[in-house]
Amino acid sequence: MTVRTRFAPSPTGRLHLGNVRAAAFNWLFARRHGGAFVLRIEDTDVERNVDGGEEGILEDLRWLGLDWDEGPGVGGPHAPYRQSQRNAVYAAAVDALLAAGRAYPCFCGEGDLESEIGKEGREVRHYLGRCRDLDPAERSRRLSGGGPAPVIRFAVPRGLASVDVDDEVFGPISFPASDIDDFVIRRSDGRATYNFAVVVDDVAMEITHVIRGVGHLSNTPKQALLFDALGRARPVFAHLPTVLGADGRKLSKRDGAAAVAELRRLGYPADAVLNYLSLLGWSHPEGKEVLARQELVDAVALERVGRSDTQMDPEKLLWISSQHLSREDPGTLAEHVAPFLDETRFAPARTHWKQVVEALRTRLSTYGDINEHLPILFGGAERGGEAASALAAYPGAPELLEAVCRALEGVDPWEEAPLAAAVRATGREVGTKGAALFHPVRLALVGSEAGPDLGKLLAALGREEALGRLRPGSAPGGGAKV
Ligand code: GLU
């Protein structure tokens, strides 16, 4: 059997981590099993659709690297992949159920439903099946009577005690059949209802595994009955536990901080976000938490998905992000950070970009953090006064800086290791080491005693800038130049 999974978002807003988590699991599962990942847009609830909703979702998925094998923009053997364009498919399925006696037209109005107070004290309206056994002649008479088109209801099998579903995560669940009325599958205006469209599409698109949020568990018995009635094997159902916001409340589309687009804007690596998503419900058998994309594909399995609610933890997301950054090689990291540089503030930073990023790498948790830390290298002006008096406290600093300058002038290529070695050698020459050597040099370079490793710092500033800052008479920290 070829595994076929799907992500079926409604274009009602941008994706947040709660709903894109389902996409991540479906994608990982399909990739793990060499199957297909299908994207289907569930846009039948016209009032809730938002302009640009679909484009936003596609953009978020593309950024996360959750590429789909079939769906909008890609096509596929089961096109179209937007529910609003699939009315003919739903109509054919309704006709098939009507012909098989598994569905029937219902002429009852809202007022004909029976009210009952349900478990949670809310009013529940029941349909008692009045039109199910209408005399055929009466049914024909009403159908040709010119009144409003009837709704079409699904005929829930009689004598059924329960609908039993074996969920991959939540285990065997028995839903009492008495809770399931003959539900509407087509509205009077001709539109298919939600549960019906989902099942007809899952059948048509040959979906083998339905992986989605536990919020959809209550839809599952109706959907299971529809699969049975359509004569198709039910897919494997796997419901993922609820994702709560950092405040412990249910995550909603209004939680801006959890929006995929926002994380992208802040400079979280897509792979780190995917890694974090996988941990919203799943855990690695060895407790590993930092996993690259391929490691996730190899390791994420439904068996280790838990049932308990899982809560968003922004600190953990940031930590995972920092771990992903720390694994990137210098060239890649520099390339990824580049688009986040605020050039209006840090134009000089571009000159030795790779070395600049290297000097600051341990401070970065996201690519976007770069602007927060660039003042370490290029914000000396603000520290100029303080730095000058701190430098004055080191006896012999001018001579030391001059000697360092001379040694550095001979360094070629201008790279971290020979630069660090030249500074140390100068220290030995003039009989200074440790803080007495490094602090004055750093003060002259960046206006602060603390800061990045000297070799990295010098490489980041470049020959001209570094020597300029060290030369006698220049403002500490390169203050004069900024
Ligand atoms: N369209 C549904 C949603 O956005 C998903 C339906 C499903 O996965 O079965 O929540």
Side-chain angles (χ1 to χ4, degrees):
M1 176 188 66
T2 309
V3 163
R4 289 177 61 83
T5 64
R6 75 340 185 244
F7 179 50
S10 302
T12 55
R14 289 304 278 251
L15 294 172
H16 62 64
L17 293 187
N19 41 43
V20 82
R21 191 243 341 223
F25 276 80
N26 278 289
W27 182 86
L28 287 167
F29 190 80
R31 294 293 170 260
R32 176 181 170 96
H33 296 283
F37 173 57
V38 178
L39 177 62
R40 180 171 79 221
I41 304 294
E42 304 210 322
D43 57 351
T44 50
D45 197 347
V46 186
E47 298 81 45
R48 293 182 57 225
N49 292 349
V50 297
D51 279 349
E54 178 181 322
E55 292 75 41
I57 288 171
L58 303 193
E59 196 181 312
D60 291 345
L61 293 176
R62 279 195 198 104
W63 175 70
L64 276 169
L66 304 182
D67 55 325
W68 52 100
D69 305 297
E70 294 173 28
V74 176
H78 307 291
Y81 291 91
R82 280 182 203 94
Q83 288 194 326
S84 58
Q85 298 165 346
R86 297 179 58 80
N87 279 338
V89 184
Y90 308 136
V94 167
D95 288 345
L97 289 183
L98 283 170
R102 304 303 311 269
Y104 59 90
C106 168
F107 306 90
C108 295
E110 271 290 300
D112 299 323
L113 304 186
E114 189 102 327
S115 284
E116 185 188 271
I117 300 303
K119 282 185 218 114
E120 286 148 17
R122 266 184 296 151
E123 188 187 11
V124 185
R125 302 185 46 88
H126 281 292
Y127 176 68
L128 300 179
R130 188 190 308 218
C131 293
R132 180 161 171 160
D133 299 314
L134 271 191
D135 176 64
E138 172 65 6
R139 185 173 285 159
S140 307
R141 191 186 62 74
R142 293 230 206 158
L143 281 174
S144 52
V151 301
I152 305 295
R153 286 186 185 273
F154 176 67
V156 174
R158 288 220 159 107
L160 193 68
S162 61
V163 180
D164 300 324
V165 174
D166 200 1
D167 190 86
E168 283 289 296
V169 176
F170 284 81
I173 308 174
S174 190
F175 297 90
S178 56
D179 288 351
I180 309 172
D181 295 344
D182 285 355
F183 53 92
V184 175
I185 55 173
R186 182 163 76 197
R187 299 181 184 89
S188 177
D189 64 7
R191 282 186 299 144
T193 55
Y194 169 73
N195 278 318
F196 187 62
V198 166
V199 173
V200 171
D201 286 344
D202 284 344
V203 165
M205 297 175 184
E206 302 175 68
I207 300 303
T208 58
H209 292 73
V210 169
I211 306 170
R212 59 188 176 191
V214 70
H216 287 290
L217 193 58
S218 56
N219 290 322
T220 309
K222 286 182 182 171
Q223 296 184 357
L225 290 177
L226 287 170
F227 278 104
D228 300 349
L230 290 166
R232 300 298 277 265
R234 299 175 188 176
V236 172
F237 288 107
H239 287 88
L240 306 170
T242 303
V243 182
L244 300 173
D247 58 2
R249 288 216 289 262
K250 232 181 142 210
L251 207 59
S252 87
K253 293 201 173 175
R254 285 175 294 280
D255 280 297
V260 174
E262 179 63 6
L263 299 178
R264 175 186 183 179
R265 192 187 66 78
L266 292 171
Y268 283 79
D271 283 18
V273 176
L274 180 67
N275 184 171
Y276 180 72
L277 287 170
S278 75
L279 300 176
L280 292 174
W282 171 83
S283 58
H284 189 277
E286 290 154 33
K288 284 190 197 163
E289 296 203 297
V290 182
L291 296 145
R293 185 170 290 259
Q294 190 56 45
E295 291 178 294
L296 291 170
V297 169
D298 294 339
V300 173
L302 295 174
E303 297 89 73
R304 291 194 57 85
V305 174
R307 299 177 189 177
S308 323
D309 290 356
T310 141
Q311 190 163 346
M312 275 285 301
D313 182 349
E315 292 293 319
K316 182 155 180 180
L317 172 58
L318 199 61
W319 177 74
I320 291 201
S321 175
S322 71
Q323 295 302 304
H324 276 257
L325 256 67
S326 71
R327 290 176 170 199
E328 289 189 16
D329 68 74
T332 313
L333 182 63
E335 214 174 280
H336 285 158
V337 174
F340 292 89
L341 171 68
D342 181 351
E343 298 192 38
T344 59
R345 289 172 62 200
F346 302 111
R350 284 176 31 153
T351 325
H352 301 273
W353 183 240
K354 196 163 114 182
Q355 289 77 6
V356 164
V357 175
E358 261 325 276
L360 300 174
R361 93 144 50 220
T362 56
R363 292 168 163 80
L364 305 181
S365 294
T366 68
Y367 304 136
D369 281 349
I370 192 73
N371 297 306
E372 189 190 321
H373 300 292
L374 276 171
I376 294 173
L377 304 183
F378 300 103
E382 292 144 34
R383 300 183 288 267
E386 248 175 74
S389 35
L391 201 52
Y394 287 93
E399 295 73 28
L400 169 67
L401 295 179
E402 228 182 290
V404 169
C405 234
R406 263 199 316 276
L408 292 179
E409 268 163 8
V411 174
D412 192 18
W414 190 263
E415 282 170 5
E416 180 187 336
L419 288 167
V423 174
R424 279 194 305 272
T426 314
R428 280 194 298 276
E429 202 183 290
V430 299
T432 316
K433 61 179 181 182
L437 168 65
F438 300 132
H439 287 182
V441 178
R442 251 201 225 98
L443 273 170
L445 286 172
V446 291
S448 165
E449 289 177 347
D453 165 81
L454 268 185
K456 286 190 163 58
L457 184 53
L458 288 162
L461 292 174
R463 178 187 296 273
E464 204 187 319
E465 180 71 22
L467 292 178
R469 290 184 187 191
L470 288 169
R471 270 188 196 112
S474 57
K481 293 186 194 256
V482 179

